């Protein structure tokens, strides 16, 4: 690749319509995210059909806006990177169709990108020199897994959730406590300066392997509230939310640290929407440092769904010649396809 390298990233795997333009894989010229949060808030969660219809309305506007903000034209593009899975099929197809149309008409490479891996690559946007191997926790609304990123850039999954994802359980409990959507930020806001040790909650599978299980913790909160309705009072909810947030994050920290220590990896990289949580970030850093392990995380705007991370992973794939066929499909399930 000689000369300019301008990649347009497109991300529509869930309820955000996002486009970004990156120069040489690491210089973010623009990063536009049109969130549908308010639209889905009234339902207390994402309604897939509503999300895909909104993506149709927004996709061209968001792409044009990203190009304009970056001060580039379609003809300046070297390639387009697009999330083609895992995610909501109806949503993925909108971004994929737009990417295919651009690549076909301009005769430039199309690069399909795995959403979970792109979250991990968000760490490289501003830090291209991070040395592998890395242990990475990807915690979002749909996924909670620990990955080993090896020296040769190959991946291994070291552990995954057996039931709910961390973000999913935060969203469900926030809905149960009626404190807002998405749940992670709502719980974080209400927990500030509150007593996170007020309620004793379980840390599921804390000492057992590297897999996660969060549904028992969710049930523990629900049972606790059913037994004592006063917990739903304005006075008690913040301490309960803080205790719950701490329980979720403590498990994430403990297991990720254990993975890094047992695989003798010097760097932990957090990723995914949940990794924008301030308690998780500071606790991970503190605990890791006490074992001589470095903990890093992307700026918050690259933790939740965005297209800069998609363009960044697409850049690495393009360098390796990993170009997709124009007829690639979208896929819904977790997979280690890169
Ligand atoms: O990565 P993401 O934007 O979308 C998915 O790929 O799922 O992650 C969204 C998830 C939601 O469950 C949301 O509640 C959670 O990330 N989240 C947070 C925070 N910001 C977003 N969880 C905890 N603390 C936050 N500050
Ligand atoms: Zn995501």
């Amino acid at each position: 690749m000689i000369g300019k390298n301008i990649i347009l990233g497109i991300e529509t795997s869930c309820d955000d319509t996002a486009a970004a333009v990156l120069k040489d894989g690491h210089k973010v010229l623009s990063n536009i995210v049109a969130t549908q949060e308010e639209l889905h808030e009234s339902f207390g969660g994402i309604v897939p059909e509503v999300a895909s219809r909104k993506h149709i309305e927004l996709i061209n506007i968001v792409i044009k806006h990203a190009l304009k903000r970056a001060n580039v034209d379609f003809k300046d593009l070297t390639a387009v990177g697009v999330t083609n899975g895992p995610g909501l099929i109806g949503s993925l197809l909108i971004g994929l169709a737009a990417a295919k149309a651009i690549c076909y008409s301009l005769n430039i490479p199309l690069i399909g990108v795995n959403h979970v891996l792109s979250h991990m690559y968000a760490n490289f946007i501003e830090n291209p020199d991070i040395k592998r191997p890395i242990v990475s926790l990807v915690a979002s609304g749909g996924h909670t897994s620990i990955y080993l990123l090896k020296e040769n850039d190959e991946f291994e999954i070291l552990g995954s959730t057996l039931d709910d994802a961390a973000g999913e359980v935060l969203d469900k409990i926030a809905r149960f406590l009626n404190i807002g959507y998405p749940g992670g930020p709502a719980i974080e806001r209400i927990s500030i300066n509150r007593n996170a040790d007020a309620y004793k909650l379980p840390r599921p599978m804390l000492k057992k392997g590297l897999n996660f299980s969060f549904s028992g913790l969710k049930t523990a909160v629900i049972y606790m509230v059913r037994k004592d309705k006063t917990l739903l009072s304005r006075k008690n909810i913040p301490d309960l939310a803080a205790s719950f947030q701490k329980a979720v994050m403590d498990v994430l920290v403990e297991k990720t640290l254990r993975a890094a220590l047992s695989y003798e990896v010097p760097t932990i990289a957090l990723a995914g929407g949940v990794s924008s949580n301030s308690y998780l970030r500071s606790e991970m850093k503190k605990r890791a440092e006490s074992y001589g392990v470095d903990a890093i995380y992307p700026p918050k705007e690259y933790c939740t769904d965005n297209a800069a991370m998609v363009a960044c992973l697409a850049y690495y794939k393009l360098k390796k010649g990993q170009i997709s066929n124009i007829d690639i499909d979208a896929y819904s399930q977790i997979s280690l396809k890169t």
Side-chain angles (χ1 to χ4, degrees), residues 115 119 140-142 167 170-171 182-185 188 272-274 276-277 303-305:
H115 181 67
H119 269 303
S140 69
L170 289 162
D171 292 341
E188 177 167 17
V274 178
S276 49
N277 185 273
C303 288
T304 42
D305 286 349

Side-chain angles (χ1 to χ4, degrees), residues 87-158:
L88 303 170
I89 283 291
S91 292
L92 288 164
L93 285 173
I94 311 303
L96 190 55
K100 284 181 178 183
I102 296 167
C103 292
Y104 187 73
S105 59
L106 296 171
N107 196 22
I108 56 173
L110 170 74
I111 302 159
V113 159
N114 177 298
H115 181 67
V116 183
L117 297 182
S118 70
H119 269 303
M120 197 187 321
Y121 272 71
N123 281 284
F124 302 136
I125 297 174
E126 291 186 349
N127 263 324
D129 299 325
I130 303 166
K131 293 245 174 325
R132 282 76 151 163
I134 290 168
V135 157
S136 183
L137 168 76
V138 185
S140 69
H143 314 281
T144 301
S145 299
I146 301 174
Y147 291 86
L148 174 65
L149 175 59
K150 300 177 189 170
E151 271 103 340
N152 59 5
D153 260 18
E154 282 185 3
F155 304 93
E156 201 181 308
I157 293 193
L158 305 181

Side-chain angles (χ1 to χ4, degrees), residues 247-304:
V248 173
M249 303 306 164
D250 282 353
V251 178
L252 295 176
V253 168
E254 185 67 31
K255 298 230 174 197
T256 309
L257 182 56
R258 183 134 33 84
L261 294 177
S262 53
Y263 285 81
E264 297 180 2
V265 170
T267 310
I268 286 172
L270 300 181
V274 178
S275 69
S276 49
N277 185 273
S278 301
Y279 177 81
L280 174 64
R281 290 156 88 101
S282 63
E283 202 58 20
M284 187 78 255
K285 224 176 172 62
K286 199 171 74 194
R287 293 269 288 128
E289 267 168 16
S290 70
Y291 285 89
V293 174
D294 198 18
I296 58 170
Y297 33 76
K300 292 190 179 185
E301 69 265 32
Y302 303 143
C303 288
T304 42

